[in-house]
Amino acid sequence: MANTIAVVKRSTLCLLISGVFSNVLSAQSHSLDVDSVAPTTCPTDFHGIEIPTDASACLLFADALPASLTYHSKQTPNDLIALFRQHIDGPISQSLSQNRIIMRLQNDYKIIVISPDETGSQVGILINPR
């Protein structure tokens, strides 16, 4: 009986230690994923769409299509709409959804989403495969 209790105690201890290390490794893996999407220097152009000079906190996911760029601008949504319309050739469809402006270009090949915030606008640009 004492031998059985010792085995159960060792097994429980091993499971506990295994669980702790599993959580530590999972947390380290998650922190690596978060670090890999840390803000980068903002480009001046993203797939032919001009990026304003005040763009900050850029997150770029562009290894392959679909590709995306998100950033913050101190400009108002209306100022950004004017900027994009000034520099984009071709038709643009524009709609409003949940207080976000959605601009669609080239049959949804390029989509720009502008969300107002307290200090300007959050902008997301998605480039889809053709």
Side-chain angles (χ1 to χ4, degrees), residues 7-60:
V7 169
V8 170
K9 284 183 179 179
R10 275 190 228 129
S11 297
T12 304
L13 181 60
C14 286
L15 285 173
L16 180 61
I17 291 171
S18 174
V20 168
F21 280 114
S22 174
N23 287 340
V24 168
L25 291 175
S26 175
Q28 287 176 345
S29 173
H30 180 67
S31 70
L32 290 175
D33 291 343
V34 171
D35 291 344
S36 68
V37 294
T40 59
T41 303
C42 298
T44 57
D45 179 273
F46 185 65
H47 291 269
I49 297 174
E50 184 174 322
I51 306 304
T53 56
D54 74 333
S56 63
C58 289
L59 292 175
L60 182 63

Side-chain angles (χ1 to χ4, degrees), residues 62-124:
D63 292 338
L65 294 182
S68 66
L69 169 68
T70 61
Y71 63 89
H72 182 267
S73 172
K74 293 180 181 176
Q75 297 183 49
T76 67
N78 287 336
D79 290 341
L80 289 169
I81 290 169
L83 174 80
F84 291 133
R85 287 192 172 274
Q86 179 182 358
H87 293 100
I88 294 173
D89 292 330
I92 300 171
S93 67
Q94 184 175 315
S95 61
L96 185 64
S97 176
Q98 299 179 351
N99 202 31
R100 290 171 176 82
I101 298 144
I102 302 169
M103 302 175 78
R104 298 175 183 274
L105 301 78
Q106 303 171 354
N107 294 324
D108 290 346
Y109 171 61
K110 298 177 182 181
I111 300 172
I112 302 169
V113 179
I114 305 169
S115 306
D117 72 14
E118 295 175 7
T119 59
S121 303
Q122 295 291 329
V123 180

